Each structure stands twice: as structure tokens, then as C-alpha cells.
Amino acid sequence: MVSRPHGGRLVDRTVSPKRRERLLEEARELPRIDVNESIAADAANIAHGVYSPLEGFMVQEDYINVLDQMRLSSDLPWTIPIILDVDPEDIVGVKDGDDIALYYRDEPLAIMRIEEIYGWDKKEYAMKVFKTADPNHPGVAKTYKRKELLIGGSIDLLRDPPEPFENIRLWPKETRVLFGTRGWKRIAAFQTRNVPHMGHEYVQKAALTFTDGLFINPLVGWKKPGDYRDEVIVKAYKALIEHYYPKEVVVLSVLRMEMRYAGPREAVHHAIVRKNFGATHFIVGRDHAGVGNYYGPYEAWEIFREFPDLGITPLFVREAFYCKKCGQMVNEKICPHPEEFRIRISGTKLRKMIMSGQKPPEYMMRLEVARVILEHPKPFIEEDEA
Amino acid sequence: MVHKDMTEKVSIEIKRDLYDKAKKFIEEQGGFSSVEELVEFLLEEVLSSEESEERGLSKEDEEKVKERLRALGYI
């Protein structure tokens, strides 16, 4: 049995084709707010139930509760505020109870009923969500650039934002049918923003040995400079699955959602989202969703103790490394050999190798995966692009 | 085998004041062209959420999802 949606019901705020025509016309008459790619993705995620039980962008009560308690006002676990920021001049004459149209790329995206317009303290947000107010943290830096007011209220999605990976993008109602059709009862979800190396493969296959299926769900969308490009991640996973995984036990599907780099809080958020897709287990990595040295290596594991009512089982799989003596990928629990025999697979080391055009050794990365990356003219996001 | 005509309409009666309220709601809020359309929408919402509680999706919706999954090569 797949997981029940968070809050018990999978939210659907998409509109039927019949209503869409009329609402599109109406949207063109409403006050207009243009949103960026991340907000458009959040709107689509709300409407398709990825963020169930949210029916819209958060009102102040939920916002404060999530910051202070890591729970919605209904007491359901929720760790990252889902917010829509605007400048005061964007909403001149707009008041609580009004409808507005959210536009993305010059087309109406959704109609939002404003329940509340409220102010926020970005530094407080940064301290509570990211545990730092340091502007060098990519999530904090992004927060400081956001607009001055927040608007909360339910939305009706008029169309999906354009998706370059449409043929491998599934919504929760689709994965739920898919898992059911395949007869999977225990599903391990894997969140990633990286190309797969041997450590990832080890962790995924370890989870797969005691579940029915593996749901690999890479994030596409905004990431920091130096991270891999979305198309590189997708191609690398396709190559890995094609050559090294039994296809009937794996589902690869992308999720458009920005990386926040909020470490432990984001790990819980990632788990909740995958619960809505139907996963029963969620693989939590070492320093999950971390960046730099802002979070302890196992903080993202410890936070799960605060949520016995999460409704999805976290899987804390230890970091894998290659042991020269064992002759394979292992972890601390199963390898008796001292550090001198162990080769740690570091993402930074791999990145440096790739940047210099060097092929990583096969105990670090599959040849087929390395080929995808090395053949790409610019595999990493550059400074001026993020 | 007899197929049901899905577009066939039947009449139902509702209280006048409820009808007037619905009409006023449409005039003020928009989104629907008639009280009939609003009533159909509300009934579909209620009935489909009943189905969702039991099976996750209506049979028709589930078949649509399966079609897409087949087209994409997932099943």
C-alpha cells in the first residue's frame, strides 16, 4: 500500500478544461502579478498535490507556525514555508478577499484568492530556516533578494508551467497509479540534485534490497553556481539505469522545485513531498540538502526524531566508500579495515576531475555516467546564470 | 448493450433563496456561466472526492493516467 497523502487527501487545485476557458478570460481582467520560475513551480506543486495538504501559498498563521514549530497550524509536520513574495507596488489597491492572476512568462498561470497580505522578517526567516543569517549561504542570499511582502491564499492552476522534461515528469496522482500498477507496497524515494556516483548507487541499491521499488526523483530548477545542470543530471541517471538497474524496480521522474540548501529542515520537506508521491520510505543522506559547513554531517538525521507522526519512514543509509581491502563499495558498519584502505568519493573531488577533462576512476563513477558529463560542453551552472 | 447518454439532462429542484444566492455568487465571483454549471461543478467535486477517498481516483481518471504512463513508457 502506497503512503497516504500528507494530511490524508491529495490536493487537486487544477481546473477542468471546461472551467479553464472561462477562468483564463477572467484572469485577464484581474490585477496581475508576474512570478518567477521557482514560484511558478511552487504553484504547480501546490495544485498537483505535491505539497498536500497546502491549497495555496501560506497565510501568516501557517507561516509563523512553520518557522517556530516546524508544523502547520493544523499541527501537521511542515518545515519549509511555501510563500509568495510581492513588492507593495505590485498590489496597489488589492485587499484581502480579492482575486489576482499570477502570470508566468507573460501568460496567466493561476488565479489566487488573497486571504492575507503580511510582512515578514527575512533575517528571522533565514535564522530559523537556514540556521544562519550569513549572506554567503546560497539560500540566505536568495532570501535577502526576495520582495518585501507576502501574500497567502488558495490558488486555482490554469495551466502547467512549460516543462522541458515533460516526458519524465510525473505528478503524485500518476506515481500513485504507477506504483499500484507495478504492485509495489514499499517504495524507497531518493532525492538528488547531483549526477550519480558509485556512493549513490550503493545507497540506492541498499534501499532497494528490502523494498519493492526505487523512486529516483531528481530536482530540476534553480540551483547554485557549480551544481550540475538539470539535463546532465537527467541524462546521467538515464545512462545509469539503462546499464546497471533492473528497469522493473526503478522509476525515474523529475520534480521541478528549487533547492533551498536548508539542510535538516529541507530533508524533512523532501520526505513529506515524496510521501505525497506515494513513497513509504525516504533515503536521507549524510549532510542532506546541506551546503558548505553550515550543518553537522548527521543533523539531517537527528531532526527526524522530532517527527514521529511524519507518515514516511526515513532510511539513514551510511556514507559509502570504496575499500581497497574489501574490493567493493562498503560503509563503516560493514567494513573492518582502517582508513588507509578507504577511498572516499567526494563530490568536490569529482567536480575538479571533470572540470579538468579527466575521467573519474570506475570505482568512483560508472563509465557511462562519466561519458555523459564529459561530453557536455558546460556541465555546471555558471556564476552569471543562477 | 445499452449505452447511457452522458449528456442527457434531468431536472432537479432547489429552494428559491438558495438559487438566488447562487446566482448572486456567480455575478459577484464569476467562474461559472449559470447556476446549473455551478451545481454540476459542486456535485462533481463532492462525488469525485468520495471516489478519491475510496480508490484514489475515479475509474475514468485512473484510465487517463494509465494512458499517459503507457505513452511515456512507464507501464
Short mmCIF file of all heavy atoms in Angstrom, two decimals, chain A residues 204-263:
data_model
loop_
_atom_site.label_atom_id
_atom_site.label_comp_id
_atom_site.label_asym_id
_atom_site.label_seq_id
_atom_site.Cartn_x
_atom_site.Cartn_y
_atom_site.Cartn_z
N GLN A 204 21.31 3.56 -3.03
CA GLN A 204 20.02 3.25 -3.67
C GLN A 204 19.77 1.74 -3.71
O GLN A 204 18.67 1.27 -3.43
CB GLN A 204 20.00 3.80 -5.10
CG GLN A 204 19.95 5.31 -5.15
CD GLN A 204 20.23 5.87 -6.53
OE1 GLN A 204 20.35 5.13 -7.51
NE2 GLN A 204 20.37 7.18 -6.61
N LYS A 205 20.82 1.00 -4.05
CA LYS A 205 20.63 -0.46 -4.16
C LYS A 205 20.47 -1.10 -2.78
O LYS A 205 19.76 -2.09 -2.63
CB LYS A 205 21.76 -1.08 -4.97
CG LYS A 205 21.61 -0.73 -6.46
CD LYS A 205 22.64 -1.40 -7.34
CE LYS A 205 22.28 -1.18 -8.81
NZ LYS A 205 23.33 -1.61 -9.74
N ALA A 206 21.12 -0.49 -1.78
CA ALA A 206 20.93 -1.00 -0.41
C ALA A 206 19.47 -0.83 -0.02
O ALA A 206 18.84 -1.75 0.54
CB ALA A 206 21.83 -0.22 0.55
N ALA A 207 18.87 0.31 -0.33
CA ALA A 207 17.46 0.55 -0.01
C ALA A 207 16.56 -0.38 -0.81
O ALA A 207 15.55 -0.89 -0.31
CB ALA A 207 17.10 2.00 -0.28
N LEU A 208 16.94 -0.62 -2.04
CA LEU A 208 16.11 -1.45 -2.92
C LEU A 208 16.09 -2.91 -2.50
O LEU A 208 15.12 -3.63 -2.79
CB LEU A 208 16.64 -1.32 -4.36
CG LEU A 208 15.80 -1.86 -5.51
CD1 LEU A 208 14.35 -1.41 -5.42
CD2 LEU A 208 16.40 -1.43 -6.84
N THR A 209 17.13 -3.35 -1.79
CA THR A 209 17.15 -4.77 -1.40
C THR A 209 16.02 -5.12 -0.44
O THR A 209 15.63 -6.27 -0.35
CB THR A 209 18.50 -5.16 -0.74
OG1 THR A 209 18.76 -4.26 0.31
CG2 THR A 209 19.63 -5.16 -1.74
N PHE A 210 15.51 -4.15 0.31
CA PHE A 210 14.40 -4.51 1.21
C PHE A 210 13.12 -3.72 0.94
O PHE A 210 12.25 -3.62 1.78
CB PHE A 210 14.82 -4.42 2.69
CG PHE A 210 15.24 -3.06 3.14
CD1 PHE A 210 14.32 -2.15 3.63
CD2 PHE A 210 16.57 -2.68 3.06
CE1 PHE A 210 14.71 -0.90 4.02
CE2 PHE A 210 16.98 -1.44 3.46
CZ PHE A 210 16.05 -0.53 3.95
N THR A 211 13.03 -3.13 -0.25
CA THR A 211 11.75 -2.52 -0.66
C THR A 211 11.35 -3.11 -2.01
O THR A 211 12.11 -3.88 -2.61
CB THR A 211 11.89 -0.99 -0.78
OG1 THR A 211 12.99 -0.67 -1.63
CG2 THR A 211 12.08 -0.32 0.57
N ASP A 212 10.16 -2.74 -2.49
CA ASP A 212 9.69 -3.29 -3.77
C ASP A 212 10.15 -2.46 -4.95
O ASP A 212 10.24 -2.95 -6.07
CB ASP A 212 8.15 -3.35 -3.78
CG ASP A 212 7.62 -4.17 -2.63
OD1 ASP A 212 8.16 -5.27 -2.40
OD2 ASP A 212 6.69 -3.71 -1.94
N GLY A 213 10.37 -1.18 -4.70
CA GLY A 213 10.72 -0.31 -5.82
C GLY A 213 11.48 0.91 -5.36
O GLY A 213 11.38 1.33 -4.21
N LEU A 214 12.24 1.48 -6.32
CA LEU A 214 13.04 2.66 -6.04
C LEU A 214 12.52 3.81 -6.89
O LEU A 214 12.37 3.67 -8.10
CB LEU A 214 14.51 2.37 -6.39
CG LEU A 214 15.51 3.51 -6.27
CD1 LEU A 214 15.70 3.92 -4.81
CD2 LEU A 214 16.86 3.10 -6.87
N PHE A 215 12.22 4.91 -6.23
CA PHE A 215 11.70 6.09 -6.92
C PHE A 215 12.80 7.15 -6.90
O PHE A 215 13.04 7.78 -5.87
CB PHE A 215 10.44 6.57 -6.19
CG PHE A 215 9.85 7.85 -6.69
CD1 PHE A 215 9.69 8.09 -8.06
CD2 PHE A 215 9.42 8.83 -5.81
CE1 PHE A 215 9.13 9.27 -8.52
CE2 PHE A 215 8.85 10.02 -6.26
CZ PHE A 215 8.71 10.24 -7.62
N ILE A 216 13.47 7.31 -8.05
CA ILE A 216 14.55 8.31 -8.15
C ILE A 216 13.93 9.61 -8.66
O ILE A 216 13.36 9.64 -9.75
CB ILE A 216 15.68 7.84 -9.08
CG1 ILE A 216 16.26 6.52 -8.57
CG2 ILE A 216 16.78 8.91 -9.18
CD1 ILE A 216 17.30 5.89 -9.49
N ASN A 217 14.03 10.65 -7.84
CA ASN A 217 13.26 11.87 -8.10
C ASN A 217 14.18 13.11 -8.04
O ASN A 217 14.17 13.86 -7.08
CB ASN A 217 12.16 11.94 -7.03
CG ASN A 217 11.04 12.92 -7.33
OD1 ASN A 217 10.41 13.45 -6.43
ND2 ASN A 217 10.79 13.17 -8.60
N PRO A 218 14.99 13.30 -9.12
CA PRO A 218 15.92 14.44 -9.10
C PRO A 218 15.18 15.78 -9.15
O PRO A 218 14.14 15.88 -9.81
CB PRO A 218 16.75 14.27 -10.38
CG PRO A 218 16.40 12.94 -10.95
CD PRO A 218 15.08 12.54 -10.38
N LEU A 219 15.75 16.75 -8.48
CA LEU A 219 15.19 18.10 -8.53
C LEU A 219 15.71 18.80 -9.77
O LEU A 219 16.90 18.80 -10.03
CB LEU A 219 15.62 18.92 -7.32
CG LEU A 219 15.03 18.60 -5.97
CD1 LEU A 219 15.27 19.74 -5.01
CD2 LEU A 219 13.54 18.30 -6.06
N VAL A 220 14.80 19.43 -10.49
CA VAL A 220 15.21 20.34 -11.56
C VAL A 220 14.69 21.72 -11.17
O VAL A 220 13.69 21.84 -10.46
CB VAL A 220 14.69 19.89 -12.96
CG1 VAL A 220 15.36 18.62 -13.40
CG2 VAL A 220 13.17 19.72 -12.98
N GLY A 221 15.40 22.74 -11.62
CA GLY A 221 15.03 24.10 -11.23
C GLY A 221 16.24 24.82 -10.68
O GLY A 221 17.38 24.37 -10.85
N TRP A 222 15.98 25.94 -9.97
CA TRP A 222 17.08 26.78 -9.52
C TRP A 222 18.06 26.03 -8.61
O TRP A 222 17.65 25.35 -7.68
CB TRP A 222 16.56 28.00 -8.77
CG TRP A 222 17.69 28.91 -8.37
CD1 TRP A 222 18.27 29.87 -9.14
CD2 TRP A 222 18.40 28.91 -7.11
NE1 TRP A 222 19.30 30.47 -8.44
CE2 TRP A 222 19.41 29.91 -7.19
CE3 TRP A 222 18.31 28.17 -5.93
CZ2 TRP A 222 20.29 30.19 -6.16
CZ3 TRP A 222 19.20 28.44 -4.89
CH2 TRP A 222 20.17 29.45 -5.01
N LYS A 223 19.32 26.15 -8.95
CA LYS A 223 20.40 25.63 -8.09
C LYS A 223 21.54 26.63 -8.12
O LYS A 223 21.57 27.53 -8.96
CB LYS A 223 20.89 24.27 -8.60
CG LYS A 223 19.87 23.17 -8.53
CD LYS A 223 20.49 21.83 -8.90
CE LYS A 223 19.43 20.80 -9.17
NZ LYS A 223 18.82 20.94 -10.49
N LYS A 224 22.48 26.43 -7.22
CA LYS A 224 23.57 27.40 -7.11
C LYS A 224 24.64 27.17 -8.20
O LYS A 224 24.73 26.05 -8.72
CB LYS A 224 24.18 27.36 -5.72
CG LYS A 224 24.86 26.07 -5.38
CD LYS A 224 25.45 26.15 -3.99
CE LYS A 224 26.04 24.81 -3.58
NZ LYS A 224 27.03 24.27 -4.49
N PRO A 225 25.44 28.20 -8.47
CA PRO A 225 26.54 28.01 -9.43
C PRO A 225 27.46 26.88 -8.96
O PRO A 225 27.68 26.71 -7.76
CB PRO A 225 27.29 29.35 -9.38
CG PRO A 225 26.30 30.34 -8.87
CD PRO A 225 25.38 29.59 -7.96
N GLY A 226 27.95 26.11 -9.92
CA GLY A 226 28.83 24.99 -9.58
C GLY A 226 28.07 23.68 -9.49
O GLY A 226 28.67 22.60 -9.57
N ASP A 227 26.73 23.73 -9.35
CA ASP A 227 25.94 22.50 -9.35
C ASP A 227 25.78 22.01 -10.80
O ASP A 227 25.95 22.77 -11.75
CB ASP A 227 24.55 22.74 -8.74
CG ASP A 227 24.58 22.70 -7.21
OD1 ASP A 227 25.69 22.65 -6.65
OD2 ASP A 227 23.51 22.73 -6.59
N TYR A 228 25.44 20.73 -10.94
CA TYR A 228 25.27 20.18 -12.29
C TYR A 228 23.99 20.73 -12.93
O TYR A 228 23.00 20.98 -12.25
CB TYR A 228 25.17 18.65 -12.23
CG TYR A 228 26.48 17.98 -11.88
CD1 TYR A 228 26.76 17.65 -10.56
CD2 TYR A 228 27.42 17.70 -12.87
CE1 TYR A 228 27.97 17.05 -10.22
CE2 TYR A 228 28.63 17.10 -12.53
CZ TYR A 228 28.90 16.77 -11.21
OH TYR A 228 30.09 16.19 -10.87
N ARG A 229 24.05 20.87 -14.24
CA ARG A 229 22.86 21.30 -14.99
C ARG A 229 21.81 20.20 -14.97
O ARG A 229 22.16 19.00 -14.97
CB ARG A 229 23.22 21.58 -16.45
CG ARG A 229 23.98 22.83 -16.67
CD ARG A 229 24.28 23.04 -18.14
NE ARG A 229 25.30 24.06 -18.26
CZ ARG A 229 25.06 25.37 -18.15
NH1 ARG A 229 23.83 25.79 -17.98
NH2 ARG A 229 26.04 26.24 -18.24
N ASP A 230 20.56 20.63 -15.04
CA ASP A 230 19.46 19.65 -15.00
C ASP A 230 19.60 18.57 -16.07
O ASP A 230 19.43 17.39 -15.80
CB ASP A 230 18.11 20.37 -15.20
CG ASP A 230 17.78 21.28 -14.03
OD1 ASP A 230 18.33 21.07 -12.94
OD2 ASP A 230 16.96 22.21 -14.21
N GLU A 231 19.90 19.00 -17.31
CA GLU A 231 19.91 18.00 -18.39
C GLU A 231 21.05 16.99 -18.20
O GLU A 231 20.95 15.84 -18.63
CB GLU A 231 19.97 18.65 -19.77
CG GLU A 231 21.28 19.34 -20.13
CD GLU A 231 21.24 20.84 -19.85
OE1 GLU A 231 20.47 21.26 -18.95
OE2 GLU A 231 21.96 21.58 -20.52
N VAL A 232 22.12 17.41 -17.53
CA VAL A 232 23.24 16.50 -17.28
C VAL A 232 22.82 15.46 -16.24
O VAL A 232 23.09 14.25 -16.39
CB VAL A 232 24.49 17.29 -16.79
CG1 VAL A 232 25.63 16.35 -16.45
CG2 VAL A 232 24.92 18.29 -17.85
N ILE A 233 22.12 15.93 -15.20
CA ILE A 233 21.65 15.01 -14.15
C ILE A 233 20.70 13.96 -14.76
O ILE A 233 20.82 12.76 -14.52
CB ILE A 233 20.93 15.79 -13.03
CG1 ILE A 233 21.89 16.79 -12.38
CG2 ILE A 233 20.36 14.84 -11.98
CD1 ILE A 233 21.22 17.80 -11.45
N VAL A 234 19.76 14.45 -15.56
CA VAL A 234 18.77 13.54 -16.15
C VAL A 234 19.43 12.51 -17.07
O VAL A 234 19.19 11.31 -16.97
CB VAL A 234 17.68 14.36 -16.90
CG1 VAL A 234 16.82 13.46 -17.76
CG2 VAL A 234 16.83 15.14 -15.91
N LYS A 235 20.32 12.99 -17.94
CA LYS A 235 20.99 12.07 -18.88
C LYS A 235 21.87 11.07 -18.12
O LYS A 235 21.95 9.90 -18.49
CB LYS A 235 21.88 12.87 -19.85
CG LYS A 235 21.12 13.40 -21.06
CD LYS A 235 22.12 13.98 -22.04
CE LYS A 235 21.39 14.67 -23.18
NZ LYS A 235 22.30 15.43 -24.02
N ALA A 236 22.53 11.55 -17.08
CA ALA A 236 23.42 10.67 -16.31
C ALA A 236 22.60 9.56 -15.64
O ALA A 236 23.00 8.39 -15.66
CB ALA A 236 24.17 11.48 -15.26
N TYR A 237 21.44 9.91 -15.08
CA TYR A 237 20.60 8.88 -14.45
C TYR A 237 20.04 7.91 -15.48
O TYR A 237 19.95 6.70 -15.23
CB TYR A 237 19.48 9.53 -13.61
CG TYR A 237 19.89 9.55 -12.16
CD1 TYR A 237 20.32 10.72 -11.57
CD2 TYR A 237 19.90 8.38 -11.40
CE1 TYR A 237 20.75 10.74 -10.24
CE2 TYR A 237 20.31 8.39 -10.08
CZ TYR A 237 20.74 9.56 -9.51
OH TYR A 237 21.18 9.55 -8.21
N LYS A 238 19.66 8.44 -16.64
CA LYS A 238 19.14 7.53 -17.68
C LYS A 238 20.21 6.51 -18.05
O LYS A 238 19.93 5.33 -18.23
CB LYS A 238 18.71 8.34 -18.90
CG LYS A 238 17.35 9.00 -18.74
CD LYS A 238 16.95 9.69 -20.03
CE LYS A 238 15.53 10.23 -19.93
NZ LYS A 238 15.16 11.04 -21.09
N ALA A 239 21.46 6.99 -18.17
CA ALA A 239 22.57 6.10 -18.54
C ALA A 239 22.79 5.05 -17.44
O ALA A 239 22.95 3.86 -17.73
CB ALA A 239 23.83 6.91 -18.76
N LEU A 240 22.76 5.49 -16.20
CA LEU A 240 22.99 4.56 -15.08
C LEU A 240 21.91 3.48 -15.04
O LEU A 240 22.21 2.28 -14.93
CB LEU A 240 23.01 5.33 -13.75
CG LEU A 240 23.24 4.47 -12.51
CD1 LEU A 240 24.68 3.96 -12.47
CD2 LEU A 240 22.93 5.25 -11.23
N ILE A 241 20.66 3.92 -15.16
CA ILE A 241 19.55 2.96 -15.09
C ILE A 241 19.60 1.98 -16.26
O ILE A 241 19.41 0.78 -16.09
CB ILE A 241 18.19 3.71 -15.01
CG1 ILE A 241 18.10 4.46 -13.68
CG2 ILE A 241 17.02 2.75 -15.18
CD1 ILE A 241 16.96 5.46 -13.58
N GLU A 242 19.89 2.52 -17.43
CA GLU A 242 19.91 1.66 -18.63
C GLU A 242 20.94 0.53 -18.48
O GLU A 242 20.68 -0.61 -18.84
CB GLU A 242 20.24 2.52 -19.86
CG GLU A 242 20.10 1.72 -21.15
CD GLU A 242 20.64 2.49 -22.35
OE1 GLU A 242 20.76 3.74 -22.25
OE2 GLU A 242 20.96 1.83 -23.35
N HIS A 243 22.07 0.85 -17.89
CA HIS A 243 23.16 -0.14 -17.87
C HIS A 243 23.25 -0.95 -16.58
O HIS A 243 23.83 -2.03 -16.58
CB HIS A 243 24.49 0.55 -18.13
CG HIS A 243 24.60 1.12 -19.52
ND1 HIS A 243 24.88 0.34 -20.61
CD2 HIS A 243 24.41 2.38 -19.98
CE1 HIS A 243 24.89 1.10 -21.70
NE2 HIS A 243 24.60 2.34 -21.34
N TYR A 244 22.71 -0.42 -15.47
CA TYR A 244 23.01 -1.08 -14.19
C TYR A 244 21.81 -1.37 -13.27
O TYR A 244 22.00 -1.85 -12.16
CB TYR A 244 24.05 -0.25 -13.42
CG TYR A 244 25.36 -0.15 -14.18
CD1 TYR A 244 25.65 0.98 -14.92
CD2 TYR A 244 26.26 -1.22 -14.19
CE1 TYR A 244 26.83 1.06 -15.65
CE2 TYR A 244 27.43 -1.15 -14.92
CZ TYR A 244 27.72 0.00 -15.65
OH TYR A 244 28.87 0.06 -16.38
N TYR A 245 20.59 -1.04 -13.68
CA TYR A 245 19.43 -1.29 -12.80
C TYR A 245 18.40 -2.16 -13.51
O TYR A 245 18.17 -1.98 -14.71
CB TYR A 245 18.74 0.05 -12.45
CG TYR A 245 19.49 0.88 -11.42
CD1 TYR A 245 20.72 1.43 -11.72
CD2 TYR A 245 18.94 1.12 -10.17
CE1 TYR A 245 21.40 2.21 -10.79
CE2 TYR A 245 19.61 1.90 -9.23
CZ TYR A 245 20.84 2.43 -9.54
OH TYR A 245 21.52 3.19 -8.63
N PRO A 246 17.76 -3.06 -12.77
CA PRO A 246 16.62 -3.78 -13.38
C PRO A 246 15.47 -2.77 -13.54
O PRO A 246 15.03 -2.17 -12.55
CB PRO A 246 16.26 -4.84 -12.33
CG PRO A 246 17.30 -4.74 -11.25
CD PRO A 246 17.96 -3.42 -11.37
N LYS A 247 15.04 -2.56 -14.78
CA LYS A 247 14.10 -1.45 -15.04
C LYS A 247 12.76 -1.58 -14.33
O LYS A 247 12.12 -0.60 -14.01
CB LYS A 247 13.90 -1.30 -16.55
CG LYS A 247 15.11 -0.66 -17.19
CD LYS A 247 15.15 -0.81 -18.68
CE LYS A 247 16.56 -0.64 -19.21
NZ LYS A 247 17.56 -1.59 -18.68
N GLU A 248 12.36 -2.82 -14.08
CA GLU A 248 11.02 -3.02 -13.49
C GLU A 248 10.94 -2.62 -12.02
O GLU A 248 9.87 -2.56 -11.46
CB GLU A 248 10.54 -4.47 -13.69
CG GLU A 248 11.35 -5.55 -13.01
CD GLU A 248 12.63 -5.95 -13.76
OE1 GLU A 248 12.98 -5.27 -14.75
OE2 GLU A 248 13.29 -6.92 -13.34
N VAL A 249 12.08 -2.33 -11.40
CA VAL A 249 12.02 -1.93 -9.99
C VAL A 249 12.44 -0.47 -9.77
O VAL A 249 12.63 -0.04 -8.63
CB VAL A 249 12.88 -2.86 -9.08
CG1 VAL A 249 12.30 -4.25 -9.03
CG2 VAL A 249 14.34 -2.88 -9.53
N VAL A 250 12.58 0.28 -10.87
CA VAL A 250 13.00 1.67 -10.73
C VAL A 250 12.07 2.60 -11.50
O VAL A 250 11.62 2.26 -12.60
CB VAL A 250 14.44 1.87 -11.31
CG1 VAL A 250 14.89 3.32 -11.10
CG2 VAL A 250 15.41 0.94 -10.66
N VAL A 251 11.76 3.73 -10.91
CA VAL A 251 11.04 4.79 -11.62
C VAL A 251 11.89 6.05 -11.52
O VAL A 251 12.27 6.47 -10.43
CB VAL A 251 9.65 5.05 -11.01
CG1 VAL A 251 9.06 6.36 -11.51
CG2 VAL A 251 8.70 3.90 -11.33
N LEU A 252 12.19 6.64 -12.68
CA LEU A 252 12.91 7.92 -12.71
C LEU A 252 11.92 9.00 -13.15
O LEU A 252 11.29 8.88 -14.20
CB LEU A 252 14.07 7.85 -13.71
CG LEU A 252 14.79 9.19 -13.99
CD1 LEU A 252 15.56 9.67 -12.76
CD2 LEU A 252 15.75 9.05 -15.17
N SER A 253 11.79 10.02 -12.33
CA SER A 253 10.89 11.12 -12.68
C SER A 253 11.42 12.38 -12.03
O SER A 253 11.88 12.34 -10.88
CB SER A 253 9.49 10.77 -12.17
OG SER A 253 8.71 11.93 -12.06
N VAL A 254 11.38 13.49 -12.76
CA VAL A 254 11.94 14.73 -12.19
C VAL A 254 10.87 15.50 -11.41
O VAL A 254 9.67 15.33 -11.62
CB VAL A 254 12.52 15.66 -13.28
CG1 VAL A 254 13.65 14.99 -14.01
CG2 VAL A 254 11.44 16.16 -14.23
N LEU A 255 11.35 16.34 -10.51
CA LEU A 255 10.46 17.24 -9.76
C LEU A 255 11.02 18.66 -9.89
O LEU A 255 12.17 18.90 -9.53
CB LEU A 255 10.43 16.83 -8.28
CG LEU A 255 9.76 17.83 -7.32
CD1 LEU A 255 8.30 18.07 -7.69
CD2 LEU A 255 9.86 17.34 -5.88
N ARG A 256 10.20 19.56 -10.42
CA ARG A 256 10.66 20.95 -10.53
C ARG A 256 10.40 21.66 -9.20
O ARG A 256 9.26 21.92 -8.81
CB ARG A 256 9.95 21.68 -11.68
CG ARG A 256 10.53 23.08 -11.92
CD ARG A 256 10.27 23.57 -13.33
NE ARG A 256 10.98 22.79 -14.32
CZ ARG A 256 12.24 23.01 -14.72
NH1 ARG A 256 12.92 24.01 -14.22
NH2 ARG A 256 12.81 22.24 -15.64
N MET A 257 11.45 21.92 -8.49
CA MET A 257 11.36 22.55 -7.17
C MET A 257 12.76 23.09 -6.86
O MET A 257 13.73 22.37 -7.06
CB MET A 257 10.94 21.51 -6.14
CG MET A 257 10.74 22.03 -4.74
SD MET A 257 9.97 20.76 -3.67
CE MET A 257 11.42 19.87 -3.08
N GLU A 258 12.82 24.33 -6.39
CA GLU A 258 14.16 24.87 -6.17
C GLU A 258 14.83 24.21 -4.96
O GLU A 258 14.16 23.81 -4.02
CB GLU A 258 14.11 26.39 -5.99
CG GLU A 258 13.51 26.82 -4.67
CD GLU A 258 13.67 28.32 -4.43
OE1 GLU A 258 13.92 29.07 -5.37
OE2 GLU A 258 13.54 28.72 -3.27
N MET A 259 16.15 24.14 -5.05
CA MET A 259 16.94 23.71 -3.89
C MET A 259 17.02 24.89 -2.96
O MET A 259 17.26 26.02 -3.37
CB MET A 259 18.36 23.34 -4.33
CG MET A 259 18.63 21.87 -4.56
SD MET A 259 18.16 20.75 -3.23
CE MET A 259 19.34 21.20 -1.95
N ARG A 260 16.81 24.65 -1.65
CA ARG A 260 16.94 25.74 -0.68
C ARG A 260 18.26 25.68 0.06
O ARG A 260 18.65 26.63 0.68
CB ARG A 260 15.78 25.68 0.32
CG ARG A 260 14.55 26.45 -0.14
CD ARG A 260 13.41 25.55 -0.48
NE ARG A 260 12.20 26.34 -0.77
CZ ARG A 260 11.22 25.92 -1.51
NH1 ARG A 260 11.28 24.73 -2.08
NH2 ARG A 260 10.15 26.65 -1.71
N TYR A 261 18.88 24.52 0.10
CA TYR A 261 20.12 24.29 0.86
C TYR A 261 19.87 24.53 2.35
O TYR A 261 20.69 25.12 3.04
CB TYR A 261 21.27 25.17 0.33
CG TYR A 261 21.49 24.97 -1.15
CD1 TYR A 261 20.90 25.81 -2.09
CD2 TYR A 261 22.25 23.90 -1.61
CE1 TYR A 261 21.06 25.60 -3.46
CE2 TYR A 261 22.43 23.69 -2.98
CZ TYR A 261 21.82 24.54 -3.88
OH TYR A 261 21.99 24.33 -5.23
N ALA A 262 18.70 24.12 2.82
CA ALA A 262 18.32 24.34 4.22
C ALA A 262 18.62 23.13 5.10
O ALA A 262 18.08 23.03 6.21
CB ALA A 262 16.85 24.73 4.31
N GLY A 263 19.45 22.22 4.62
CA GLY A 263 19.93 21.10 5.45
C GLY A 263 18.81 20.32 6.11
O GLY A 263 17.92 19.79 5.43
#
